[in-house]
Structures are given as C-alpha cells and as structure tokens.
Amino acid sequence: MLILLTIIFGLLIGSFLNVCIYRLPKNESIVTPPSHCTVCNTHLKPWDLIPVISYLLSRGRCRYCSTSFSPRYAFVELLTASLFVWCFYVFELSPELIKALILTSFFIVITFIDYDHQLILDKVLACLSIVGVVINLWTHSVEPFNMLIGSLLGGGLLLIIALVSGGGMGGGDIKFAAALGLCFGWEYLILTLFLSFIFGGIGGVLLLVFKMKSRKDFIPFGPFIALAALFTLLYGNNMITWYMEIIS
Ligand SMILES: [Zn+2]
C-alpha cells in the first residue's frame, strides 16, 4: 500500500519537476500561470494533467490543437516515481527518506536543465543549499562544521580542477559541488566527486561510441555529478564501510 502511495506521490512530484525544468530557465514563475499548452495556450484541465495516464490516453498530443507533447514529460514523471520507490526501499519511513526524496527531486531538475541548457541555475543551487542545511540541522545527520568543510572542499576541489583543466568544468559545476558539500558533509562529498569522475569518464566514452556527441561537443558534467550524488545518497554508507574494511 505504501509503495502504491509512493508511486503516486512520485508521479505527482515528477509532474511538478517538469514545470520547474521547463519554466525556471526562462525565469518564469513555477506557480502561475496554470499548466497550459505552449502552442494553443489552452489551460489544461485536471484530467489533462494526470501524470503518464493523460499522456497515454491523448496519445501524447494536446487534446485541443493536437500538437504532440514531448515523451520526456512522461519519462520524467516515471523516472521520479521509480527513484522515489528506490529511496523508499533503501530508507523506509524515516527522516532520511524525506531528505532523500527532496535531494533526488533537486538532482532531477538540475540534470535536465543542465542537459537542455548547459546551465546549473544559481536559484536552484541556493534552494538546494538552504533545504539541505535545514534538513541536516533537523535530522542531525551532518554537523554544521562538517557541512562547512564539505562545502569548501567541494567548491575548492572543482575550482582547482577547472583552473588546471582550462575549461572542462563550469562555474555551475563548482557551485553544485559546494552545495552538495553542505548537504552531505565532507565524506559523502569526496565519494560523490570520485564517482562523478568515473561516471563522467564512462558516460563520455559511451556518448562518443554511440555517436550521440562528437569530440567537439560540450558534454555537461552536472548530470554526472547528480548521478554520483544519487548513488552516494542511496549507498554512500555501504560504500564507505566497504572501503574502510578494505584499507584496514
Ligand atoms: Zn494545444
């Protein structure tokens, strides 16, 4: 029963994340105007906005002007619901679950905006930082000093890499790492950066092999940091324990 509620909740949040992904880069409000077709401007009715189901029933088209909607809206909703179920499976009902669901939502928004616009928005990172600090203070999962160290370390390390590599890393990536340091503390932050380089390396090769990008194309790094942060969020504890056992 709880799983079903998690799926429905994930689909609804996914629907809201779509609005964020679409409107935030355009500096539009995420509250008003209500959802509308961007071509014919018709305000969509509640039954047009049921995640995934409305999309399937209308065969992916606007019911008023039959412009096709990108399947990505439904994909983001399904992705959000799947990741929420995964978080629920790992954390069960706990304060950690709330932190995981909120951070996961931020990671999804950051990933898709960065993919679309090669940009990680300051306002999104500011919200992530504030929310992260508040949750950490509430759950006592990361101490304030650890948040500060994590943030300085995240921003500092990527800044150095950006200076040394001469342009591979953007300002958004540096600020994203600093925000993650606040949310995670230094241990999880180090693990996130480590994983992001592995994922980025593998991802870069795959994109080239499958000719989705050419050597000259800019490949945004933000989605790889977000993916690494997600894995750290879900399995950081296990990975760090495992690592400690190996080196001891
Ligand atoms: Zn329309």
Side-chain angles (χ1 to χ4, degrees), residues 37 39-42 62 64-67:
C37 168
V39 176
C40 68
N41 265 324
T42 312
C62 169
Y64 309 96
C65 69
S66 58
T67 308

Side-chain angles (χ1 to χ4, degrees), residues 7 22 27 31 47 83 100 129 142 152 156 158 160 200 206 239 243:
I7 293 173
Y22 190 74
N27 263 328
V31 188
W47 52 85
L83 293 180
S129 305
V142 185
L152 291 173
L158 284 206
I160 293 169
L206 289 178
M239 285 191 271
Y243 176 74

Side-chain angles (χ1 to χ4, degrees), residues 4 32 46 54 58 60 63 70 118 128 222 232:
L4 188 66
T32 56
S54 297
S58 63
R63 290 201 306 121
S70 162
Q118 286 80 51
L128 171 63
T232 305

Side-chain angles (χ1 to χ4, degrees), residues 142-193:
V142 185
E143 296 306 316
F145 183 68
N146 192 0
M147 290 190 242
L148 185 69
I149 298 292
S151 179
L152 291 173
L153 204 58
L157 281 175
L158 284 206
L159 179 64
I160 293 169
I161 293 171
L163 293 174
V164 172
S165 71
M169 199 74 64
D173 299 323
I174 298 169
K175 286 180 265 183
F176 187 17
L180 284 175
L182 279 178
C183 300
F184 279 165
W186 73 269
E187 286 166 303
Y188 270 31
L189 183 272
I190 298 278
L191 182 59
T192 301
L193 292 186

